[in-house]
Coordinates of all heavy atoms in Angstrom, one line a residue:
M1 N -18.5 166.0 102.7 CA -18.9 167.1 103.4 C -17.9 168.2 103.5 O -18.1 169.3 103.8 CB -19.4 166.7 104.8 CG -20.6 165.8 104.9 SD -20.9 165.2 106.5 CE -22.5 165.7 106.7
I2 N -16.6 167.8 103.3 CA -15.5 168.7 103.5 C -15.5 169.7 102.4 O -15.6 170.9 102.6 CB -14.2 168.0 103.5 CG1 -14.1 167.0 104.7 CG2 -13.0 168.9 103.5 CD1 -13.0 166.1 104.7
K3 N -15.5 169.3 101.1 CA -15.5 170.3 100.0 C -16.7 170.1 99.1 O -16.8 170.7 98.0 CB -14.2 170.1 99.2 CG -13.0 170.7 99.9 CD -13.1 172.2 99.9 CE -11.8 172.8 100.4 NZ -11.7 174.2 100.2
G4 N -17.6 169.2 99.4 CA -18.8 169.0 98.5 C -18.6 168.1 97.3 O -19.4 168.1 96.4
V5 N -17.5 167.3 97.3 CA -17.3 166.4 96.2 C -18.4 165.4 96.0 O -18.9 165.2 94.9 CB -15.9 165.8 96.3 CG1 -15.6 164.7 95.2 CG2 -14.8 166.8 96.3
C6 N -18.7 164.7 97.1 CA -19.8 163.7 97.0 C -21.1 164.3 96.6 O -21.9 163.7 95.8 CB -19.9 162.9 98.3 SG -18.5 161.9 98.7
N7 N -21.4 165.5 97.1 CA -22.6 166.2 96.8 C -22.6 166.6 95.3 O -23.6 166.4 94.6 CB -22.8 167.5 97.6 CG -24.1 168.1 97.5 OD1 -25.1 167.4 97.2 ND2 -24.2 169.3 97.8
G8 N -21.5 167.0 94.8 CA -21.4 167.4 93.3 C -21.6 166.1 92.5 O -22.3 166.2 91.4
I9 N -21.0 165.0 92.9 CA -21.1 163.8 92.1 C -22.5 163.3 92.1 O -23.1 162.8 91.1 CB -20.1 162.7 92.6 CG1 -18.7 163.1 92.3 CG2 -20.4 161.4 92.0 CD1 -17.6 162.3 93.0
S10 N -23.2 163.4 93.3 CA -24.6 162.9 93.4 C -25.5 163.8 92.6 O -26.4 163.3 92.0 CB -25.0 162.9 94.9 OG -25.2 164.3 95.3
E11 N -25.3 165.1 92.5 CA -26.1 166.0 91.6 C -25.9 165.6 90.2 O -26.8 165.6 89.4 CB -25.7 167.4 91.9 CG -26.3 168.0 93.1 CD -26.0 169.5 93.3 OE1 -25.6 170.1 92.3 OE2 -26.2 170.0 94.4
Y12 N -24.6 165.4 89.8 CA -24.3 165.0 88.4 C -24.9 163.7 88.0 O -25.5 163.6 86.9 CB -22.8 165.0 88.2 CG -22.4 164.7 86.8 CD1 -22.5 165.7 85.8 CD2 -21.9 163.4 86.4 CE1 -22.1 165.4 84.5 CE2 -21.5 163.1 85.1 CZ -21.6 164.1 84.2 OH -21.3 163.8 82.9
L13 N -24.9 162.7 88.9 CA -25.4 161.4 88.6 C -26.9 161.3 88.9 O -27.5 160.3 88.6 CB -24.6 160.3 89.3 CG -23.2 160.2 89.0 CD1 -22.5 159.2 89.9 CD2 -23.0 159.8 87.5
N14 N -27.5 162.3 89.6 CA -28.9 162.3 89.9 C -29.2 161.1 90.9 O -30.1 160.4 90.7 CB -29.8 162.3 88.7 CG -31.1 162.9 89.0 OD1 -31.3 163.6 90.0 ND2 -32.0 162.7 88.1
V15 N -28.3 161.0 91.9 CA -28.4 159.9 92.9 C -28.4 160.6 94.3 O -27.8 161.7 94.4 CB -27.2 159.0 92.8 CG1 -27.2 157.9 93.8 CG2 -27.2 158.4 91.4
D16 N -28.9 160.0 95.3 CA -28.9 160.5 96.6 C -27.5 160.6 97.1 O -26.7 159.7 96.9 CB -29.7 159.6 97.6 CG -29.8 160.1 99.0 OD1 -30.0 161.3 99.1 OD2 -29.7 159.3 99.9
V17 N -27.2 161.7 97.8 CA -25.9 162.0 98.3 C -25.4 160.9 99.3 O -24.2 160.6 99.4 CB -25.7 163.4 98.8 CG1 -26.5 163.6 100.1 CG2 -24.3 163.8 99.0
G18 N -26.3 160.4 100.1 CA -26.0 159.4 101.1 C -25.4 158.1 100.4 O -24.5 157.5 100.9
V19 N -26.0 157.8 99.3 CA -25.5 156.6 98.5 C -24.1 156.8 98.1 O -23.2 156.0 98.2 CB -26.4 156.3 97.4 CG1 -25.9 155.2 96.5 CG2 -27.8 155.9 97.8
V20 N -23.8 158.0 97.5 CA -22.5 158.3 97.0 C -21.5 158.3 98.2 O -20.3 157.8 98.1 CB -22.5 159.7 96.3 CG1 -21.1 160.1 95.9 CG2 -23.4 159.6 95.1
R21 N -21.8 158.9 99.4 CA -21.0 158.9 100.5 C -20.7 157.5 101.0 O -19.5 157.2 101.4 CB -21.6 159.7 101.6 CG -21.5 161.2 101.3 CD -22.0 162.0 102.5 NE -22.0 163.4 102.1 CZ -22.9 164.3 102.4 NH1 -23.9 164.0 103.1 NH2 -22.7 165.6 102.1
L22 N -21.7 156.6 101.0 CA -21.5 155.2 101.5 C -20.5 154.5 100.5 O -19.7 153.7 100.9 CB -22.8 154.5 101.6 CG -23.7 154.9 102.8 CD1 -25.0 154.2 102.7 CD2 -22.9 154.5 104.1
I23 N -20.7 154.7 99.2 CA -19.8 154.1 98.2 C -18.4 154.6 98.4 O -17.4 153.8 98.3 CB -20.3 154.4 96.8 CG1 -21.6 153.6 96.5 CG2 -19.3 154.0 95.7 CD1 -22.3 154.0 95.2
C24 N -18.2 155.9 98.7 CA -16.9 156.5 98.9 C -16.2 155.9 100.1 O -15.1 155.5 100.1 CB -17.0 158.0 99.0 SG -15.4 158.8 99.1
I25 N -17.0 155.7 101.2 CA -16.5 155.1 102.4 C -16.1 153.6 102.2 O -15.0 153.2 102.6 CB -17.5 155.2 103.6 CG1 -17.6 156.7 104.0 CG2 -17.1 154.4 104.8 CD1 -18.7 157.0 104.9
F26 N -17.0 152.9 101.5 CA -16.7 151.5 101.2 C -15.5 151.3 100.4 O -14.6 150.5 100.6 CB -17.9 150.9 100.5 CG -17.7 149.5 100.1 CD1 -17.7 148.4 101.0 CD2 -17.6 149.2 98.7 CE1 -17.6 147.1 100.6 CE2 -17.4 147.9 98.3 CZ -17.4 146.8 99.3
L27 N -15.3 152.2 99.3 CA -14.2 152.1 98.5 C -12.9 152.5 99.2 O -11.8 151.9 98.9 CB -14.3 153.0 97.2 CG -15.3 152.5 96.2 CD1 -15.5 153.5 95.1 CD2 -14.9 151.2 95.7
S28 N -13.0 153.4 100.2 CA -11.8 153.8 100.9 C -11.3 152.6 101.8 O -10.1 152.4 101.9 CB -12.0 155.0 101.7 OG -12.7 154.8 102.8
F29 N -12.2 151.8 102.3 CA -11.8 150.7 103.1 C -11.3 149.6 102.2 O -10.3 148.9 102.5 CB -12.9 150.1 104.0 CG -13.2 150.9 105.2 CD1 -14.5 151.5 105.4 CD2 -12.3 151.2 106.1 CE1 -14.7 152.3 106.5 CE2 -12.5 151.9 107.3 CZ -13.8 152.5 107.4
L30 N -11.9 149.4 101.1 CA -11.6 148.4 100.1 C -10.2 148.6 99.5 O -9.4 147.7 99.3 CB -12.6 148.2 99.0 CG -12.6 147.1 98.1 CD1 -12.8 145.8 98.9 CD2 -13.6 147.2 97.0
S31 N -9.9 149.9 99.2 CA -8.7 150.2 98.5 C -7.6 150.7 99.4 O -6.6 151.2 99.0 CB -9.0 151.2 97.4 OG -9.4 152.4 98.1
V32 N -7.7 150.5 100.7 CA -6.8 150.9 101.7 C -6.4 152.3 101.6 O -5.2 152.7 101.6 CB -5.5 149.9 101.7 CG1 -4.7 150.2 102.9 CG2 -5.9 148.5 101.6
G33 N -7.4 153.2 101.4 CA -7.1 154.6 101.4 C -6.8 155.3 100.1 O -6.6 156.5 100.1
A34 N -6.8 154.5 99.0 CA -6.5 155.1 97.7 C -7.7 156.1 97.3 O -7.4 157.0 96.6 CB -6.4 154.0 96.7
T35 N -8.8 155.9 97.8 CA -10.0 156.7 97.5 C -9.7 158.1 98.1 O -10.2 159.1 97.5 CB -11.3 156.2 98.1 OG1 -11.4 154.8 97.6 CG2 -12.5 157.0 97.7
L36 N -9.0 158.2 99.2 CA -8.7 159.5 99.7 C -7.8 160.4 98.7 O -8.0 161.6 98.6 CB -7.9 159.4 101.1 CG -7.5 160.7 101.8 CD1 -8.8 161.4 102.2 CD2 -6.7 160.3 103.0
G37 N -6.9 159.7 98.1 CA -6.1 160.4 97.0 C -7.0 160.9 95.9 O -6.8 162.0 95.4
L38 N -7.9 160.0 95.5 CA -8.9 160.4 94.4 C -9.8 161.5 94.8 O -10.1 162.4 94.1 CB -9.7 159.2 94.0 CG -9.0 158.1 93.3 CD1 -9.9 156.9 93.0 CD2 -8.4 158.6 91.9
Y39 N -10.2 161.5 96.1 CA -11.0 162.6 96.7 C -10.3 163.9 96.6 O -10.8 165.0 96.2 CB -11.4 162.2 98.1 CG -12.5 163.2 98.7 CD1 -13.8 162.9 98.5 CD2 -12.1 164.2 99.5 CE1 -14.8 163.8 99.0 CE2 -13.1 165.1 100.0 CZ -14.4 164.8 99.8 OH -15.4 165.7 100.3
C40 N -9.0 163.9 97.0 CA -8.2 165.1 97.0 C -8.0 165.6 95.6 O -8.0 166.8 95.3 CB -6.8 164.8 97.7 SG -7.0 164.6 99.5
A41 N -7.8 164.7 94.7 CA -7.7 165.1 93.2 C -8.9 165.7 92.7 O -8.9 166.7 92.0 CB -7.3 163.9 92.4
A42 N -10.1 165.2 93.2 CA -11.4 165.7 92.8 C -11.6 167.1 93.3 O -12.1 168.0 92.7 CB -12.5 164.8 93.2
I43 N -11.1 167.4 94.5 CA -11.2 168.7 95.1 C -10.4 169.7 94.2 O -10.9 170.8 94.0 CB -10.6 168.7 96.6 CG1 -11.5 168.0 97.5 CG2 -10.4 170.1 97.1 CD1 -10.9 167.8 98.9
I44 N -9.3 169.3 93.7 CA -8.5 170.2 92.9 C -9.0 170.3 91.5 O -9.0 171.4 90.9 CB -7.0 169.7 92.9 CG1 -6.4 169.8 94.3 CG2 -6.1 170.5 91.9 CD1 -5.1 169.0 94.5
L45 N -9.4 169.2 90.9 CA -9.7 169.2 89.5 C -11.2 169.6 89.1 O -11.4 170.1 88.1 CB -9.4 167.8 88.9 CG -8.0 167.4 89.0 CD1 -7.8 166.0 88.5 CD2 -7.1 168.3 88.1
L46 N -12.1 169.3 90.0 CA -13.5 169.5 89.6 C -13.8 171.0 89.8 O -13.3 171.7 90.7 CB -14.4 168.7 90.5 CG -14.4 167.2 90.3 CD1 -15.4 166.5 91.3 CD2 -14.8 166.8 88.9
P47 N -14.7 171.5 88.9 CA -15.1 172.9 89.0 C -15.9 173.2 90.3 O -16.7 172.3 90.7 CB -15.9 173.2 87.8 CG -16.4 171.9 87.3 CD -15.3 170.9 87.8
T48 N -15.9 174.4 90.8 CA -16.7 174.7 92.0 C -18.0 175.3 91.5 O -18.1 175.9 90.4 CB -15.9 175.7 92.9 OG1 -15.6 176.9 92.1 CG2 -14.7 175.1 93.4
K49 N -19.0 175.2 92.4 CA -20.3 175.8 92.1 C -20.4 177.1 92.8 O -20.1 177.3 93.9 CB -21.4 174.9 92.6 CG -22.8 175.2 92.2 CD -23.7 174.2 92.7 CE -25.1 174.5 92.2 NZ -26.1 173.4 92.6
D50 N -20.7 178.2 92.0 CA -20.8 179.5 92.5 C -22.2 179.8 93.2 O -23.2 179.7 92.5 CB -20.5 180.5 91.4 CG -20.3 181.9 92.0 OD1 -20.1 182.1 93.2 OD2 -20.4 182.9 91.1
F51 N -22.2 180.0 94.5 CA -23.4 180.2 95.2 C -23.8 181.7 95.4 O -24.8 182.0 96.0 CB -23.4 179.5 96.5 CG -23.4 178.0 96.4 CD1 -22.3 177.3 96.6 CD2 -24.6 177.4 96.1 CE1 -22.3 175.9 96.5 CE2 -24.6 176.0 96.0 CZ -23.4 175.3 96.2
R52 N -23.0 182.6 94.9 CA -23.2 184.0 95.0 C -24.4 184.5 94.1 O -24.6 184.0 93.0 CB -22.0 184.9 94.7 CG -20.9 184.6 95.7 CD -19.7 185.4 95.3 NE -19.2 184.9 94.0 CZ -18.2 185.4 93.3 NH1 -17.5 186.4 93.8 NH2 -17.8 184.9 92.2
D53 N -25.1 185.4 94.6 CA -26.2 186.0 93.8 C -25.6 187.0 92.8 O -24.8 187.8 93.1 CB -27.2 186.7 94.6 CG -28.0 185.8 95.5 OD1 -28.2 184.6 95.1 OD2 -28.4 186.2 96.6
N54 N -26.0 186.9 91.5 CA -25.5 187.8 90.5 C -26.5 189.0 90.3 O -27.6 189.0 90.3 CB -25.3 187.1 89.2 CG -24.2 186.1 89.3 OD1 -23.3 186.3 90.1 ND2 -24.2 185.0 88.5

């Protein structure tokens, strides 16, 4: 919800965003926070979606 990373991944994979968020939360507990680092990397590396009207 912070930068839309889970939403973008869910759109790409054609999966419900709630499922992706639950997987992200589960992985962060399982990996003792390493998922947070991956999330921050995704914020920097993944392209942004332009919502402006052209």
